[in-house]
């Protein structure tokens, strides 16, 4: 099946600004830090679009995912002028800039919420979700916050509970109120007018809830005491993916469509584990796919197995309409580092997969260096999710600062870094990896170079192939008379591949030399030109 749509060749790179590059020595990455690294992103690495995690004014209870002013830059990250300069310098280099849109909730410090909590008759009362306690004083229903505990907090002043899908400092907006939707579109307009190229929507599924706020049913698969951040005691049946979700998202998509060439990518974890494809398909179907696409996170914690990956991707590619842009997400600021989850050798195989599939590839900052999870002591914990959930390591390990060289603090900051650098930063840094032909960074660079040169990789069709070896996943990408075959050895043993000659290998993840019949090295991925 043809799979050609990819938002005009977009290759995304997610920047977690706190940890990317600090320009002023306060130990926290900032916008000027990002601007100073645009040449790295465009010329050295070879991506063409960045997505910046939140840099808006925020009390930082959830490190910026609790916004107190959607149209201002938090001083820790710089100023609005710094952002304008970043944007202008990026555009000068033909780099597009997408920004995070935290639409489900604000901070409790947002003026809207401050007004809303004043009294029950305040005009902004209905901008959030307030309910009376049950007769026994307990919360209105059994919904839980994603970060642990009840999703409701009692507010003494007006003696009602307010709803928060995340921290108590992140009250949910009431998207059923048209005034909220209008205000949020005004936020989009502010940034579109400045020239941003699109948005990543944060937790969009939560903006529509069951109108009756019914109790969530118990999760029969829940294992108490598990450390898994996504093992929930309740099924998330009524608190998200409500009846108006697509209507509200389509409203945003239409709005963005008016601004030609802009896009939105939606954070989406399937509500239907049995048929994730059906869930994604609903998204594409309901929200204009010309401007919008959900991330596909099906592989983000799938066991590393050739047949499992092949089956998942085949079924997704097969069911998707050619005009839908796929965005396979393999890592982000909320999930374990790829190199920790799979090990560094397999992370190289995954790099080849991620950068040769159809659609919009995405790299989370630091994954190009094969960064592993940082080791964070209890005293160094910063993530409120971890602090609230004893035993859960939280998301700090995947948020440690990038190292740019092997000097003090890896060149990330001249001050005290907000999270410690990884122990191996002396070798796992940009400058050292640039000098090492075999480095992860150079593999990413080679793969991206190839993607830029090859229409087959950028916009070609996808066809899975039978490799007669259950440890080797293979597929063909084809455009006009250019065909590339990708073969990925998911195992740590050598694997023969029948009927394939090694003469035309254009790239090997191991820089291995092959002659004659092909036997892939452990974890090796190759691209063959037919
Ligand atoms: C973001 C998280 C954030 C949460 C609440 C998400 O899914 O990716 O980092 O904590 O939304 O905004
Ligand atoms: Mg700083």
């Amino acid at each position: 099946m043809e799979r050609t749509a990819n938002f005009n060749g977009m290759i995304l790179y997610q920047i977690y600004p706190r940890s990317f590059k600090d320009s002023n020595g306060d130990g926290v990455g900032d916008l000027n830090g990002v601007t100073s690294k645009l040449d790295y992103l465009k010329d050295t690495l070879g991506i063409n679009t960045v997505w910046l995690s939140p840099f808006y004014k925020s009390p930082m209870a959830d490190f910026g995912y609790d916004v107190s002013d959607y149209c201002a830059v938090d001083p820790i990250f710089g100023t609005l002028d710094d952002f304008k300069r970043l944007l202008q310098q990026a555009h000068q280099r033909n780099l597009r800039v997408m920004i995070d849109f935290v639409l489900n909730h604000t901070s409790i410090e947002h003026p809207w919420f401050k007004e809303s909590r004043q009294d029950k008759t305040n005009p902004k009362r209905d901008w959030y979700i307030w309910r009376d306690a049950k007769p026994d004083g307990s919360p209105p229903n059994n919904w839980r916050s994603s970060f642990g505990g009840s999703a409701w907090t009692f507010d003494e002043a007006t003696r009602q509970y307010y709803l928060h899908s995340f921290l108590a400092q992140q009250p949910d907006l009431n998207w059923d109120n048209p005034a909220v939707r209008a205000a949020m579109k005004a936020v989009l307009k502010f940034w579109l007018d400045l020239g941003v190229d699109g948005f990543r929507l944060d937790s969009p599924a939560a903006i529509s809830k069951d109108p009756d706020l019914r109790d969530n049913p118990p999760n029969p698969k829940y294992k108490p005491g598990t450390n898994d951040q996504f093992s929930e005691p309740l099924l998330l049946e009524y608190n998200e993916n409500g009846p108006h979700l697509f209507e509200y998202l389509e409203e945003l998509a239409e709005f963005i469509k008016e601004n030609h060439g802009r896009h939105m990518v939606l954070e989406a974890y399937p509500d239907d584990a049995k048929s994730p494809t059906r869930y994604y398909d609903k998204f594409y179907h309901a929200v204009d796919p010309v401007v919008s696409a959900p991330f596909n996170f099906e592989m983000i914690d799938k066991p590393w197995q050739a047949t499992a990956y092949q089956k998942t991707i085949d079924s997704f590619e097969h069911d998707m309409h050619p005009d839908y842009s796929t965005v396979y997400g393999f890592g982000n600021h909320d999930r374990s580092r790829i190199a920790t989850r799979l090990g560094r050798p397999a992370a190289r195989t995954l790099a080849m997969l991620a950068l040769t599939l159809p659609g919009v590839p995405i790299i989370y900052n630091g994954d190009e260096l094969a960064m592993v999870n940082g080791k964070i002591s209890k005293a160094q914990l910063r993530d409120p999710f971890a602090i609230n959930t004893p035993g859960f390591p939280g998301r700090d390990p995947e948020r440690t600062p990038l190292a740019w060289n092997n000097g003090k603090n890896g060149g990330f900051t001249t001050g005290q870094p907000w999270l410690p650098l990884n122990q191996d930063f002396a070798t796992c840094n940009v400058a050292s990896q640039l000098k090492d032909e075999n480095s992860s960074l150079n593999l990413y660079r080679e793969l991206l170079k190839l993607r830029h040169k090859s229409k087959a990789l950028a916009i070609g069709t996808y066809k899975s192939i039978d490799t007669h070896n259950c440890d080797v996943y293979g597929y063909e990408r084809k455009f006009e008379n250019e065909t590339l075959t990708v073969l990925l050895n998911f195992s740590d043993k050598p694997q023969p591949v029948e009927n394939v000659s090694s003469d035309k290998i254009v790239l090997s993840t191991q820089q291995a030399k092959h002659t004659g019949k092909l036997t892939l090295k452990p974890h090796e991925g190759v691209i063959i030109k037919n």
Side-chain angles (χ1 to χ4, degrees):
M1 166 61 108
E2 291 208 3
R3 290 285 307 111
T4 50
N6 59 1
F7 287 171
N8 313 327
M10 181 183 288
I11 299 170
L12 255 177
Y13 183 90
Q14 180 192 355
I15 293 181
Y16 193 69
R18 291 187 80 81
S19 298
F20 189 66
K21 169 72 185 159
D22 177 25
S23 72
N24 62 353
D26 66 354
V28 179
D30 42 49
L31 294 178
N32 287 340
V34 174
T35 307
S36 73
K37 295 296 178 187
L38 293 175
D39 286 336
Y40 165 75
L41 295 169
K42 183 74 202 311
D43 302 334
T44 309
L45 183 57
I47 57 93
N48 59 25
T49 311
V50 296
W51 145 35
L52 295 166
S53 276
F55 51 83
Y56 317 106
K57 193 147 188 283
S58 162
M60 304 288 163
D62 189 21
F63 294 113
Y65 282 96
D66 49 321
V67 180
S68 55
D69 184 345
Y70 286 106
C71 301
V73 172
D74 194 274
I76 202 146
F77 294 120
T79 63
L80 194 59
D81 280 338
D82 293 337
F83 179 77
K84 288 182 188 163
R85 204 164 57 89
L86 187 165
L87 195 63
Q88 182 245 334
Q89 301 249 333
H91 285 170
Q92 230 170 48
R93 292 166 172 80
N94 269 330
L95 260 176
R96 286 177 269 186
V97 178
M98 296 179 77
I99 60 176
D100 224 299
F101 185 41
V102 188
L103 69 168
N104 174 65
H105 43 266
T106 67
S107 156
I108 42 169
E109 297 296 323
H110 197 292
W112 298 341
F113 188 73
K114 285 187 176 167
E115 279 185 52
S116 182
R117 84 193 304 182
Q118 273 172 12
D119 57 77
K120 286 184 185 167
T121 56
N122 187 284
K124 295 248 166 28
R125 185 66 169 182
D126 188 49
W127 281 42
Y128 293 83
I129 300 167
W130 293 94
R131 290 291 184 279
D132 288 332
K134 283 189 177 164
D136 66 357
S138 62
N141 69 19
N142 71 352
W143 295 357
R144 293 170 52 79
S145 147
S146 299
F147 294 157
S150 171
W152 297 91
T153 287
F154 191 69
D155 200 41
E156 273 302 333
T158 54
R159 305 202 54 76
Q160 276 193 319
Y161 281 93
Y162 67 87
L163 181 67
H164 50 89
S165 298
F166 296 90
L167 296 174
Q169 295 96 319
Q170 293 167 296
D172 282 28
L173 285 162
N174 175 16
W175 273 73
D176 293 331
N177 182 336
V180 167
R181 302 204 296 281
M184 292 305 268
K185 275 191 271 180
V187 171
L188 292 182
K189 182 162 169 24
F190 174 83
W191 293 102
L192 287 167
D193 286 350
L194 279 185
V196 305
D197 301 285
F199 304 91
R200 174 264 189 184
L201 270 55
D202 182 67
S203 290
I207 66 173
S208 180
K209 288 126 173 128
D210 176 49
D212 301 324
L213 306 185
R214 277 171 282 182
D215 272 356
N216 274 334
N219 177 3
K221 290 196 188 135
Y222 174 62
K223 292 191 206 80
T226 56
N227 216 356
D228 172 3
Q229 64 175 304
F230 297 100
S231 169
E232 301 272 350
L234 302 174
L235 294 175
L236 306 181
E237 191 156 329
Y238 295 118
N239 62 316
E240 56 182 32
N241 290 302
H244 300 293
L245 175 62
F246 294 123
E247 179 189 323
Y248 300 158
L249 293 177
E250 174 58 10
E251 224 177 287
L252 298 178
E254 280 307 309
F255 191 73
I256 286 174
K257 203 174 175 183
E258 288 166 20
N259 293 270
H260 182 71
R262 319 286 178 86
H263 297 101
M264 61 188 214
V265 181
L266 299 92
E267 185 190 27
Y269 288 94
D271 62 345
D272 179 353
K274 275 186 243 115
S275 178
T277 303
R278 198 160 56 215
Y279 177 78
Y280 292 120
D281 196 45
K282 272 194 288 185
F283 255 96
Y284 286 109
H285 202 77
V287 190
D288 192 337
V290 171
V291 292
S292 155
F295 282 105
N296 178 322
F297 289 128
E298 276 190 85
M299 261 81 59
I300 208 158
D301 44 20
K302 201 177 264 313
W304 182 243
Q305 253 178 17
T307 42
Y309 270 60
Q310 182 152 15
K311 201 168 143 220
T312 307
I313 295 169
D314 279 0
S315 100
F316 193 64
E317 292 294 330
H318 180 265
D319 290 356
M320 291 297 108
H321 187 277
D323 292 342
Y324 297 175
S325 295
T326 45
V327 193
Y328 294 103
F330 296 100
N332 59 41
H333 64 296
D334 294 328
R335 298 301 191 114
S336 166
R337 284 277 182 193
I338 293 168
T340 297
R341 204 170 75 228
L342 306 179
R344 279 190 165 136
R348 296 176 71 92
T349 328
L350 179 74
M352 183 170 274
L353 173 72
L355 297 178
T356 57
L357 282 175
V360 178
I362 168 151
I363 302 165
Y364 171 53
N365 63 195
D367 280 346
E368 76 272 30
L369 305 174
M371 275 179 76
V372 291
N373 287 348
K375 293 208 177 9
I376 309 292
S377 71
K378 235 181 167 171
Q380 289 165 327
L381 278 185
R382 303 296 300 267
D383 179 13
F385 191 177
I387 294 165
N388 285 353
T389 321
F392 165 54
R395 299 167 297 174
D396 296 320
E398 56 264 27
R399 296 176 177 179
T400 53
L402 253 76
W404 295 93
N405 55 48
N406 60 8
K408 190 177 169 230
N409 295 324
F412 164 70
T413 181
T414 54
Q416 182 64 28
W418 77 285
L419 277 176
L421 274 97
N422 285 1
Q423 284 163 340
D424 63 356
F425 84 81
T427 48
C428 189
N429 67 67
V430 171
S432 304
Q433 290 206 13
L434 279 177
K435 283 186 229 140
D436 171 6
E437 237 193 298
N438 279 315
S439 67
S440 173
L441 179 54
N442 276 322
L443 174 64
Y444 271 79
R445 296 175 69 206
E446 287 303 317
L447 284 163
L448 286 168
K449 253 190 232 156
L450 204 60
R451 194 170 177 105
H452 285 298
K453 274 200 309 220
S454 157
K455 281 234 159 78
L457 288 182
I459 56 169
T461 56
Y462 165 93
K463 196 173 99 209
S464 176
I465 54 179
D466 184 1
T467 63
H468 302 284
N469 182 332
C470 61
D471 285 311
V472 180
Y473 169 22
Y475 49 91
E476 244 175 43
R477 303 289 318 279
K478 190 172 164 60
F479 181 78
E480 291 174 352
N481 52 13
E482 182 196 12
T483 305
L484 294 178
T485 303
V486 181
L487 296 168
L488 305 166
N489 178 1
F490 273 56
S491 81
D492 56 4
K493 310 212 165 35
Q495 297 292 346
V497 190
E498 278 173 32
N499 302 328
V500 176
S501 151
S502 54
D503 301 345
K504 294 181 179 156
I505 292 179
V506 286
L507 187 61
S508 152
T509 57
Q510 318 277 338
Q511 295 189 315
K513 299 274 174 279
H514 294 279
T515 48
K517 277 191 171 176
L518 180 63
T519 296
L520 292 171
K521 308 249 182 268
H523 298 292
E524 189 184 12
V526 293
I527 302 175
I528 297 172
K529 198 159 189 150
N530 300 70

